[in-house]
Every structure is written in structure tokens, then in C-alpha cells.
């Protein structure tokens, strides 16, 4: 039978211990996040130009078995539900060359820029009211298989 007088002390101790665990404590593999996505579409004579940028954050918790070497996979502009690629295979300019190494209990931030010529039809799809995402994959040397990542939905500027 449980001593009910000890229950408040147990609950207080449990909440103290839970508060000691950092937010990245349980991240054993690299956790990617795409933040601050932007895209600007400009109509032209032979189609349209799309420029944009985003930040890729790679986080690894302190309990990881060691550092991770991360490769960047394919990156695309997708529809809002992230089910269909709209623009893929474009060139990216990054602030760091790949592969990058992420040490345990650290974060690596990489900024990207894109500048792509697209068809007017593709520009019209990018400009749909539902918005788009930037999505891609990374390969983490600590994990088998690729890890998918996608930004929040955003609306490109320059759309009619």
C-alpha cells in the first residue's frame, strides 16, 4: 500500500528532476530545422526568376554517441501540404560547404540563397494562395537513412 503522505514530496521531486532535462537532451541524431524561408518571384520575358533564402539549423543533443557528419540531400520548393515538388534541382549557395560536422550538445546554422529561372507556369504554381514550403533531406552519419525536413508554410513575395 502506498503512503499518501509521501505523494506530495514525490511529485515535487519529480517536477524538479524533469526541469533539469534540457530541450535537446533527448536528441540522439541530428535534428534539422528550416527557418526563415523566403522567396520572391519576378515575371520576365522568357519566364520568371525566383530568388530566396532560408536557414538550416542542425541540432545534436549531449547524449549522442559522438559527432555526426551531415550531408545535404535534395532540396525543393513544395506545395503547402508538402506532398508535391514544385521546383527542384536548383543550385544553392551556402555559407558552409558540405559535409558539416555537428558535435554533441551543439547546433550548426547554415544560411542558403537560391536564384533560379523558372517557367511562368511554375511561377503561377509557386504563387498559389495556399503558400509553399522549402523541403529537403539530410544524411546524418549517426543514423541509417535520410531525415526529411520542411519549413513552415510561407507565401512568396512578388506574386500577382
Amino acid at each position: 500500500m502506498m503512503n499518501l503522505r509521501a505523494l506530495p514530496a514525490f511529485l515535487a521531486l519529480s517536477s524538479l528532476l524533469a526541469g533539469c532535462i534540457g530541450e535537446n537532451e533527448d536528441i540522439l541524431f541530428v535534428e534539422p530545422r528550416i527557418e526563415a524561408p523566403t522567396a520572391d518571384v519576378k515575371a520576365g520575358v522568357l519566364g520568371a526568376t525566383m530568388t530566396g533564402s532560408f536557414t538550416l539549423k542542425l541540432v545534436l543533443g549531449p547524449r549522442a554517441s559522438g559527432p555526426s557528419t551531415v550531408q545535404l540531400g535534395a532540396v525543393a520548393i513544395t506545395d503547402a501540404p508538402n506532398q508535391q515538388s514544385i521546383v527542384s534541382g536548383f543550385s544553392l549557395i551556402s555559407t558552409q560547404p558540405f559535409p558539416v560536422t555537428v558535435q554533441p550538445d551543439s547546433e550548426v546554422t547554415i544560411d542558403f540563397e537560391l536564384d533560379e529561372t523558372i517557367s511562368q507556369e511554375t511561377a503561377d504554381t509557386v504563387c498559389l494562395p495556399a503558400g509553399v514550403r522549402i523541403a529537403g533531406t539530410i544524411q546524418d552519419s549517426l543514423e541509417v537513412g535520410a531525415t526529411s525536413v520542411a519549413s513552415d508554410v510561407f507565401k512568396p513575395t512578388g506574386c500577382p
Side-chain angles (χ1 to χ4, degrees):
M1 179 178 222
M2 183 177 193
N3 183 347
L4 293 179
R5 286 183 283 186
L7 186 59
F10 173 75
L11 291 175
L13 181 61
S14 296
S15 67
L16 266 174
L17 291 175
C20 293
I21 297 174
E23 71 180 56
N24 70 346
E25 190 78 18
D26 292 330
I27 301 174
L28 300 177
F29 306 109
V30 172
E31 182 178 287
R33 291 189 310 264
I34 294 178
E35 299 178 347
T38 67
D40 183 50
V41 179
K42 288 190 175 36
V45 177
L46 300 174
T49 302
M50 183 174 64
T51 57
S53 63
F54 64 94
T55 299
L56 176 64
K57 289 196 176 186
L58 305 169
V59 179
L60 188 57
R63 294 184 180 179
S65 63
S68 174
T69 302
V70 177
Q71 288 280 10
L72 183 65
V75 176
I77 303 288
T78 67
D79 60 0
N82 198 24
Q83 295 175 339
Q84 183 178 11
S85 176
I86 300 170
V87 182
S88 61
F90 47 79
S91 299
L92 293 170
I93 299 169
S94 68
T95 55
Q96 288 188 41
F98 280 85
V100 297
T101 301
V102 184
Q103 297 294 331
D105 199 20
S106 72
E107 178 179 292
V108 174
T109 301
I110 306 152
D111 294 318
F112 289 89
E113 291 184 8
L114 65 100
D115 188 352
E116 200 66 29
T117 301
I118 57 177
S119 69
Q120 189 57 52
E121 181 181 324
T122 300
D124 292 343
T125 304
V126 168
C127 289
L128 288 175
V132 294
R133 295 178 189 262
I134 296 177
T137 60
I138 63 157
Q139 180 62 53
D140 173 359
S141 65
L142 296 175
E143 189 172 29
V144 176
T147 302
S148 297
V149 60
S151 71
D152 290 336
V153 174
F154 69 99
K155 292 186 181 190
T157 58
C159 294

